[in-house]
Amino acid sequence: MRNYHKLIGLCLAFALLNTSCELEETIYSSIYTEAFYKTAADAEKGLVAVYDPLADLCSGPALTLVSDFSADQCYPRAVVGRNTLTLFEYDANYTTQRTAGRTNESPQQIWISCYDGIEKANWIIAKVPDAIMDATRKGQIIGEAYFLRAYYLWTLTKTFGDVPIKTMPSTSEEEAIVGKSPKADVYKQIYSDLDQATSAGLLSYPSVEKGRPSKEVVSALYAKAALYNEDWQKALQKAQEVISSGKYSLMPDVRDVYRYDKEDAARIENMWAFESAPISPGRGHQLSGLCGPTGSAGVDYSRNSFGSMFAYQTFYDSFDPKDKRRLLLDTTYVNRAGATVPQRSITPITTKGVLIKKYQDPISTIGLINNIPLFRLPDMYLIAAEAEARLNGASANAYGFVNVIRKRAGLDDLAAGLSKEAFINAVIQERAWEFFAEGDRWYDLTRTGTFLAVVPKAVNNVYPVRNPTAKNKYFPIPQDEINANPKIEQNPDWK
């Protein structure tokens, strides 16, 4: 378009010299034209574009940090606006993050990326059915687009509550302006999209390409969406479908799920992940840098770490010492001289720093190597345990699901004879130990209505007081979006 604008300028200049100029433009700069989505190559390229917003979500990564810095497991060093999430001091403009150039760590990035992905998925769903290509692959491409649209929509509604539902591509500004829908309708759309993806002929693991959702991953998202929708029967059904498929299994050693050199082997458990690229330029994230010691000091952590994300001591202390998952946290590290650095010297901001070891990358010079888990098999067991308990109490089946996870962690079975409420609380706690630093915990606390009681207890000398309020259950819709769309109203508690 730059050359086009130059031509317009020339035409105006000639007009001033009593010369006429006519210009007909053929637009090549947009893929949203009738000339695209005609061939198999077009369809494949268009589908890749639907995945690109996932990389935008994971670069900050807003997809994990928005939850992790808000909850009771992890906290940030107070730089570039990260502490506004921890202290619940953000506004609808997300002013601090934007001023610091860190929109990619904020809820605003979630909104931007998810609607970008939805728009791109809509073009696939609308246009690819008419493409001239193999019918089986065509169906799979459309199915992946439905899955991704459901994933983006679910990410939006768990973050913001009632949100716009958009199922058609925009060819005009008028079509792009859509009002919010109630959360119940959002989940109806998610279910519908996942039904379409389920019937699309997607491949099962291990035949599926890296980074693509398998048939079982569609059921995994269905199970988790149903859990958040308090549709317990559907959540149980879909989680059991994944478990009983036999396509996935737990890694014997939980630490191997996250090892940079066991990424491919870990796919047996890590069902769908953001596939970080260990190249430059590449689509990566900064978790290795955030979690490693400052000054790249930890030989096992990262060659480019800056020490800005830690676990609360209270969370570390909540683990049974026998729990193998606690090995993914540490209160010491070995520096590059081979000396053991004590806890009091891990970080200058506190003597109680606890390091997170899920994203260690000791070899890459650009810090892009670790995948970020999006759906792991343990989620299916714990969803099944919770849904079964909510339906039938602390049944033998419910115990069976949660004890699979505890056994891998090296723990005894969950205490027998728990009440329904006590069992569900135990499962939620199991989720905390299993999925820390994976962007899950805040949403568990908000969906269960426990964040107001739990979060104020997660304090230390860095953050001695933390007081979320009821309005923090959902994040405010970015003010930029409200300014641009007259049909959107701010979340009621944020008006």
Side-chain angles (χ1 to χ4, degrees), residues 73-371:
Q73 300 168 334
C74 309
Y75 64 93
R77 186 161 53 96
V79 293
V80 295
R82 294 180 182 124
N83 61 331
T84 63
L85 293 166
T86 304
L87 296 174
F88 306 97
E89 292 178 346
Y90 44 85
D91 56 40
N93 284 302
Y94 298 105
T95 304
T96 305
Q97 286 94 337
R98 290 171 52 162
T99 302
R102 290 291 174 177
T103 297
N104 65 344
E105 297 179 6
S106 76
Q108 184 166 9
Q109 187 67 58
I110 293 176
W111 184 283
I112 292 168
S113 294
C114 287
Y115 279 111
D116 182 22
I118 287 169
E119 180 69 16
K120 290 171 177 174
N122 286 343
W123 282 98
I124 293 287
I125 293 165
K127 294 293 187 180
V128 170
D130 294 330
I132 300 173
M133 62 180 297
D134 175 76
T136 299
R137 181 58 191 148
K138 178 193 292 188
Q140 292 170 345
I141 288 173
I142 297 169
E144 285 185 52
Y146 273 114
F147 168 84
L148 288 166
R149 188 169 76 180
Y151 178 77
Y152 291 134
L153 198 54
W154 173 66
T155 302
L156 284 162
T157 195
K158 71 178 182 177
T159 304
F160 299 101
D162 298 344
V163 294
I165 299 172
K166 197 164 184 306
T167 58
M168 296 296 293
S170 298
T171 58
S172 68
E173 182 179 343
E174 182 180 1
E175 291 174 346
I177 296 175
V178 179
K180 292 196 297 184
S181 293
K183 189 171 65 170
D185 290 342
V186 176
Y187 276 100
K188 287 179 183 178
Q189 186 61 52
I190 292 169
Y191 282 18
S192 175
D193 284 356
L194 292 175
D195 286 336
Q196 293 285 347
T198 299
S199 61
L202 298 181
L203 300 176
S204 291
Y205 180 81
S207 299
V208 67
E209 185 180 344
K210 295 176 184 179
R212 306 285 182 129
S214 67
K215 175 183 176 182
E216 295 75 29
V217 168
V218 176
S219 294
L221 175 54
Y222 217 141
K224 198 152 188 179
L227 184 79
Y228 278 57
N229 195 32
E230 299 186 357
D231 185 353
W232 313 125
Q233 189 62 57
K234 181 70 74 174
L236 177 61
Q237 173 198 338
K238 292 298 181 178
Q240 285 181 307
E241 284 180 7
V242 179
I243 295 167
S244 63
S245 73
K247 297 296 183 179
Y248 296 93
S249 60
L250 300 180
M251 297 283 283
D253 187 335
V254 67
R255 292 172 295 179
D256 289 343
V257 177
Y258 307 95
R259 284 184 59 91
Y260 72 95
D261 55 353
K262 294 195 175 183
E263 179 181 284
D264 287 333
R267 295 180 197 282
I268 194 72
E269 174 177 329
N270 195 7
M271 300 187 296
W272 190 49
F274 166 61
E275 299 282 335
S276 187
I279 58 174
S280 183
R283 298 312 301 268
H285 59 80
Q286 59 174 340
L287 283 173
S288 295
L290 284 165
C291 295
T294 186
S296 307
V299 65
D300 294 324
Y301 284 83
S302 174
R303 296 175 68 177
N304 294 282
S305 65
F306 39 90
S308 286
M309 180 174 177
F310 305 95
Y312 288 101
Q313 182 71 44
T314 51
F315 178 60
Y316 180 82
D317 293 342
S318 73
F319 283 84
D320 186 314
K322 296 184 299 183
D323 195 327
K324 295 177 181 178
R325 293 169 296 194
R326 197 176 76 162
L327 297 174
L328 291 163
L329 298 167
D330 215 338
T331 55
T332 65
Y333 71 91
V334 177
N335 68 18
R336 298 194 179 278
T340 298
V341 177
Q343 185 178 22
R344 65 179 181 273
S345 301
I346 284 177
T347 172
I349 65 174
T350 178
T351 58
K352 293 290 187 179
V354 178
L355 291 166
I356 298 163
K357 302 174 75 172
K358 283 189 172 182
Y359 301 102
Q360 289 178 301
D361 173 11
I363 65 166
S364 173
T365 59
I366 54 175
L368 299 176
I369 201 167
N370 303 85
N371 289 349

Side-chain angles (χ1 to χ4, degrees), residues 371-451:
N371 289 349
I372 298 177
L374 300 177
F375 286 106
R376 291 198 290 116
L377 184 62
D379 213 351
M380 298 302 103
Y381 281 99
L382 295 178
I383 287 173
E386 181 180 344
E388 168 68 19
R390 291 188 184 276
L391 288 168
N392 303 309
S395 66
N397 285 338
Y399 270 96
F401 290 127
V402 72
N403 285 336
V404 168
I405 305 306
R406 291 179 62 84
K407 181 178 180 180
R408 198 266 294 270
L411 298 176
D412 297 332
D413 288 351
L414 193 62
L418 294 177
S419 67
K420 176 179 179 178
E421 181 180 3
F423 181 89
I424 291 170
N425 289 339
V427 172
I428 301 299
Q429 179 60 61
E430 205 70 44
R431 294 185 62 85
W433 292 324
E434 184 68 33
F435 301 115
F436 70 86
E438 296 181 36
D440 200 70
R441 177 63 170 171
W442 174 251
Y443 298 114
D444 272 343
L445 294 177
T446 53
R447 73 177 175 86
T448 57
T450 55
F451 71 101

